[in-house]
Structures are given as structure tokens and as C-alpha cells.
Amino acid sequence: MSLLQIDRLRIAFGGIVAVKDLSLAVAPGAIHALIGPNGAGKTTVLNCISRFYDADAGSIRFGGQELTGLRDHCVADLGIARTFQNLELFGDLTVLDNVRIARHRFQRATLPEVLLGLVRKRREDAEHTERAEAIVESVGLAGHLHARVRDLPYGTQKLVELARAIALEPKLMLLDEPAAGMNNREIGRLGELLQGLRQRLSATLLLIEHNMSLVMSISERVTVMHDGALLAEGPPGEIERHEGVVAAYLGGGHRARAAAGV
Ligand SMILES: Nc1ncnc2c1ncn2[C@@H]1O[C@H](COP(=O)(O)OP(=O)(O)OP(=O)(O)O)[C@@H](O)[C@H]1O
Ligand SMILES: [Mg+2]
């Protein structure tokens, strides 16, 4: 059974139909890429899954449970975490604090305990800080634990976003262009990191990405959108050679573009 099953999803903004009857199944434990030209509707699909947008029609089931109709925090509680194409970090806080805040859903201390600074709260705080530090280190940012996020390069901030998503210990991670702003060496490390995450956390990844060398090297399945609709779906080797995908998106130059890190 699929972990995530999207059926005939549709959403329009005024006259623009951003997603047209899209169906998509993500297998448990997969790294599944969602690719396509700018404006194809990829981020909108993520926004529907994480309940930032209300779909006009269709269904989104996660582990068999219907998500449409749920509140966005309920989706997070079910074990779905996401990163944002345009970063959603607290720029004035440190890397560590950004990741610690993401773990608040695990904090069991009651409000009176928080207010009184009771022992259980202090112990929990220490545990969460330790866990957050380990997560920051796992994405390669040990040297930036106490750096203010807004002072870091964009590609490094993308890793902080990833760390925040990891901190939620999700079953499904929705990643919107995690490699944006990274150079080739950083993208290589990101690929290893994402594969490691899948192994260590038994997480499933739905990955939106324009860097084709990353997509083709780590994904088992690739779904291609064009103009809001499904254009193709299959293993990376097939998608790379798919005539419609090459015509609409990949062209002849994606390898060259990927090699140039753009
Ligand atoms: N909140 C919104 N209001 C109006 N139009 C929107 C909204 N969100 C998305 N759209 C439109 O829906 C279409 C799909 O946008 P979307 O951001 O999903 O594309 P994308 O595939 O993620 O593109 P990119 O690769 O550039 O990030 C675009 O035409 C966009 O302008
Ligand atoms: Mg997008």
C-alpha cells in the first residue's frame, strides 16, 4: 500500500488551474521526486498535502487517512514535515534555537510546569537541546550551532530548514527544492544526507528539485508535472529518456545545467 495516495487533486486560483486532476502514489520508504518546469504546480501540491491550501477536488490519503479537511497542525501531528521553497526560518535566532523550537510538539510539560520551571521541564529542555544539537550536527552544521540564521548563506539556511524538518521525526518529509543555493559539492553531500535520512529514520521523502543530477541519483520514482497535470511517472532512467519530458522540461541541457550547479 502507498504511504501517500493522491487522487485527482485539483485546485484553481481565479482563472489559473494550478493542479489539474493529479494522481500520485508514494511508496513507503521511497525517495520520490516531483519535477517539472517553473509554474508546473509542484509547490501547490505540497501546499495541499500540508493543508496550507484547500484543494477544490480530489483526495489525499496518508497511511489510509484522508487529509483534506484536517487542520495543518493535525497533518504535522500525523508525522508529515516539510521544508519551504522560500525559507520559513526565524532569521534572528540561532541555528540551534530554530531546531529546538521545531521540537515543541514533543514537549510534554504542562503550562504550570513551564511557568514554574519545574524539574520535569528542565530535564525535558536539556534532552531536547541535546537532541537538537545532534540533529544540527547530522546535517553538517556543527560549526554553526550558535550562528544567527540570517547571517548564513542561503544554501546553509536550506540545511537549517532540513534540520527543522528532521527534528519533527516525521514519517514523510516534503522537501521543496532543498538544493537551491548550494554548490555541486554541497549538493553531493545533500544527496548522501537524504539517503542516510531515509535509512536512519525510515522516512519517506517526496522531493521537489530542479537539480537533475541529484534527482536522478537518489530517487526511485520520478513524477513529472507540466501545466498542473501529470506528464509522466516512472523510474529515473525511463524519465530521462521520456520524449514528452525531454521536450517539456529536460531539453538537451539538463546534464550540463546540473553539472554547472544551476
Ligand atoms: N496562492 C496563489 N495564488 C495565486 N496563484 C497561485 C498561488 N499559488 C500558486 N499559484 C499559481 O499556481 C501555478 C503553480 O505554481 P507553483 O508555485 O505550484 O509552481 P512550481 O511548480 O512550484 O514552480 P517553481 O518550480 O517555479 O517553484 C503558478 O501559475 C502560480 O502562479
Ligand atoms: Mg515551487
Side-chain angles (χ1 to χ4, degrees):
M1 200 179 80
S2 312
L3 181 66
L4 181 75
Q5 177 82 44
I6 300 177
D7 285 304
R8 302 188 67 82
L9 184 72
R10 187 176 180 86
I11 181 168
F13 301 101
I16 299 170
V17 185
V19 179
K20 296 175 188 156
D21 300 328
L22 181 82
S23 296
L24 167 64
V26 179
I31 298 183
H32 190 129
L34 181 58
I35 66 171
N38 295 122
K42 306 176 300 290
T43 297
T44 305
V45 171
L46 244 57
N47 282 334
C48 289
I49 299 169
S50 51
R51 300 288 303 126
F52 285 16
Y53 290 165
D54 260 325
D56 296 326
S59 112
I60 304 173
R61 273 168 298 150
F62 175 66
Q65 173 164 5
E66 183 62 49
L67 299 184
T68 55
L70 292 184
R71 304 274 293 275
D72 56 1
H73 67 85
C74 299
V75 170
D77 288 344
L78 286 174
I80 300 179
R82 71 172 291 180
T83 66
F84 292 85
Q85 182 170 356
N86 303 309
L87 300 163
E88 297 272 338
L89 294 165
F90 299 104
D92 285 325
L93 299 186
T94 65
V95 170
L96 180 61
D97 282 342
N98 268 273
V99 177
R100 269 162 36 110
I101 288 168
R103 287 188 62 79
H104 70 83
R105 85 179 177 100
F106 297 109
Q107 273 164 358
R108 286 166 298 125
T110 62
L111 189 59
E113 284 172 331
V114 171
L115 295 175
L116 293 170
L118 289 180
V119 175
R120 185 166 101 181
K121 155 129 173 60
R122 281 205 299 273
R123 199 178 54 228
E124 271 192 14
D125 278 353
E127 282 167 12
H128 282 295
T129 301
E130 226 171 79
R131 183 79 190 105
E133 282 174 356
I135 291 167
V136 171
E137 281 163 24
S138 78
V139 300
L141 297 183
H144 297 296
L145 264 175
H146 303 291
R148 204 167 64 141
V149 161
R150 75 165 74 256
D151 298 334
L152 297 170
Y154 187 76
T156 310
Q157 292 191 28
K158 289 294 263 190
L159 288 174
V160 181
E161 275 242 327
L162 185 62
R164 278 176 59 90
I166 296 169
L168 293 170
E169 299 176 14
K171 299 188 189 99
L172 174 66
M173 294 180 88
L174 310 170
L175 305 177
D176 202 346
E177 300 195 22
M182 292 186 185
N183 63 33
N184 276 342
R185 197 164 41 88
E186 290 166 331
I187 292 171
R189 279 207 304 263
L190 176 68
E192 286 167 21
L193 181 63
L194 296 181
Q195 284 176 310
L197 276 182
R198 182 246 298 267
Q199 299 288 354
R200 277 189 296 115
L201 302 181
S202 311
T204 303
L205 272 55
L206 180 59
L207 167 75
I208 296 178
E209 188 46 66
H210 285 291
N211 186 289
M212 285 306 113
S213 60
L214 177 63
V215 165
M216 298 302 174
S217 63
I218 68 169
S219 319
E220 283 95 38
R221 298 295 288 184
V222 182
T223 296
V224 190
M225 289 182 74
H226 182 45
D227 258 345
L230 179 73
L231 176 63
E233 217 230 90
E238 250 173 50
I239 293 298
E240 270 185 312
R241 292 190 300 272
H242 187 288
E243 268 181 35
V245 176
V246 171
Y249 182 47
L250 296 180
H254 78 281
R255 287 186 182 284
R257 283 199 302 276
V262 293

